[in-house]
Amino acid sequence: MADLKIRIGELEFKNPVTTASGTFGFGEEYTDFMDLDRIGGIFTKGTTIRHREGNAYPRMAETPSGMLNAVGLQNKGVDYFISSIYPRIKDYDTNIMVNVSGSTIEDYVATAEKVNELDKIPAIELNISCPNVKQGGMTFGVSCAGAAEVVRAVRKAYSKTLIVKLSPNVTDIASIAQAVEEEGADSVSLINTLLGMAIDAETRKPYLSTITGGLSGPCVKPVALRMVWQVAKAVKIPVIGLGGIMNTADAIEFFLAGATAIQIGTANFIDPAISVKVVEGINEYLDRHGCSSIYDIIGALEA
Ligand SMILES: Cc1cc2nc3c(=O)[nH]c(=O)nc-3n(C[C@H](O)[C@H](O)[C@H](O)COP(=O)(O)O)c2cc1C
């Protein structure tokens, strides 16, 4: 059996398979289906400084080979996370990373400072790429200056592993990745959802209350792979790849493109145990290809 251990910043992962923010709750919702200690880590639902109701319904729509969502960062706020959720999940034998979202730089910093105090949370994922909120969110992630500004402020306030989640709704994602690397990010994760929309031709109305929403699932995989490949060549920090990973073969493609770890998102809604199956599949692939470590295939694309 090959060695699946990887490192992101200060942090060791028992294997490179993690679950994507907003698609896996806080992990506890999935314990009936799988052993959480068999995956490398969990990225929590986006957490903000204050409680957010999220957007009005309908906020999900199925699309060919994917889905649109406009949940709008519904959550009960970081204080509720700390008092009520953290005590329940802190002893899981896997890395738990909090996805920190916000509307202003001050919000991001205040949330990161609070999460910094939690012993059992070794990393945060800074979400500067949510397309479903009116203020903040993606606006920070679509320019080098905006991305750099928020990462600079959070880096001062947060001492542990800092992962920055990038938006695909840009023309040059590699330059944004370089900008956040320069400000001290330990890793980048990509991609968040692609901005899209769906229309009901009969009613002449949009399917989503917000009109536009974030596209995810198999339809985004070619875009995600291309961006992971471009970013992995442009930065020295490890890249976490995601977007449309539905099975082991998809995951392997991301490693070959240069990802050190992967996240599984929309696929959890189809098979809640998919992440464990992908861990097993990676093991089997590495054995079959005579590899002794996952690092043997990271960036090993022959092009
Ligand atoms: C219902 C839903 C909610 C999401 N919520 C968040 C969130 O709170 N924070 C975040 O950074 N990404 C969020 N995402 C984006 C996913 O983490 C992921 O980046 C995206 O769905 C692409 O991966 P996938 O194709 O494997 O789903 C959400 C996605 C979905 C489908």
Side-chain angles (χ1 to χ4, degrees):
M1 217 158 80
D3 185 0
L4 292 189
K5 284 197 291 301
I6 54 120
R7 283 193 85 79
I8 304 276
E10 295 287 291
L11 193 56
E12 183 165 288
F13 290 70
K14 67 179 81 169
N15 66 58
V17 178
T18 66
T19 52
S21 176
T23 66
F24 204 71
F26 293 94
E28 53 187 356
E29 298 86 343
Y30 281 76
T31 50
D32 282 350
F33 305 103
M34 55 175 274
D35 289 332
L36 298 181
D37 61 3
R38 294 189 60 197
I39 57 173
I42 296 165
F43 288 85
T44 71
K45 173 68 193 157
T47 301
T48 52
I49 192 70
R50 277 174 290 279
H51 167 99
R52 284 181 62 98
E53 280 298 328
N55 293 320
Y57 291 86
R59 53 192 197 181
M60 298 265 198
E62 203 168 331
T63 66
S65 296
M67 63 177 280
L68 283 163
N69 93 82
V71 173
L73 297 176
Q74 179 180 9
N75 79 103
K76 292 189 170 166
V78 67
D79 290 333
Y80 180 85
F81 172 79
I82 291 170
S83 62
S84 301
I85 300 171
Y86 176 66
R88 295 203 301 264
I89 65 173
K90 69 182 177 48
D91 293 321
Y92 288 144
D93 183 16
T94 190
N95 290 327
I96 299 181
M97 281 77 53
V98 173
N99 180 276
V100 170
S101 300
S103 301
T104 64
I105 292 188
E106 294 71 32
D107 287 358
Y108 280 108
V109 169
T111 307
E113 272 172 348
K114 286 179 185 249
V115 178
N116 200 33
E117 299 302 313
L118 304 177
D119 284 350
K120 300 285 182 71
I121 304 291
I124 58 171
E125 179 179 54
L126 198 64
N127 176 13
I128 57 168
S129 45
C130 182
N132 298 322
V133 288
K134 285 203 186 77
Q135 285 181 322
M138 196 173 84
T139 26
F140 288 108
V142 293
S143 75
C144 289
E149 197 183 354
V150 64
V151 173
R152 189 179 315 134
V154 171
R155 182 69 287 179
K156 285 195 196 117
Y158 189 74
S159 60
K160 299 183 229 175
T161 299
L162 175 58
I163 301 162
V164 180
K165 187 164 181 182
L166 303 181
S167 172
N169 301 303
V170 297
T171 43
D172 183 4
I173 196 163
S175 62
I176 295 181
Q178 285 168 335
V180 306
E181 177 180 43
E182 266 170 38
E183 297 298 340
D186 296 302
S187 171
V188 283
S189 54
L190 60 140
I191 58 173
N192 208 317
T193 51
L194 275 155
L195 195 60
M197 68 188 279
I199 295 173
D200 182 337
E202 288 308 313
T203 62
R204 303 186 178 191
K205 291 193 183 319
Y207 275 105
L208 298 174
S209 70
T210 47
I211 307 178
T212 62
L215 186 65
S216 64
C219 55
V220 307
K221 192 186 78 173
V223 178
L225 264 181
R226 183 264 295 175
M227 290 188 159
V228 164
W229 176 70
Q230 287 177 323
V231 168
K233 286 190 300 177
V235 297
K236 294 188 188 67
I237 52 178
V239 174
I240 303 175
L242 74 154
I245 298 178
M246 307 305 282
N247 53 42
T248 301
D250 293 338
I252 300 291
E253 291 170 26
F254 277 79
F255 294 119
L256 294 172
T260 298
I262 54 131
Q263 297 180 15
I264 295 181
T266 301
N268 292 304
F269 301 141
I270 298 166
D271 177 356
I274 185 65
S275 49
V276 169
K277 292 176 188 168
V278 170
V279 175
E280 287 166 358
I282 293 169
N283 249 322
E284 188 274 326
Y285 176 92
L286 293 175
D287 282 352
R288 195 155 43 81
H289 286 258
C291 301
S292 57
S293 158
I294 183 72
Y295 280 98
D296 292 351
I297 63 165
I298 294 172
L301 181 71
E302 294 175 12

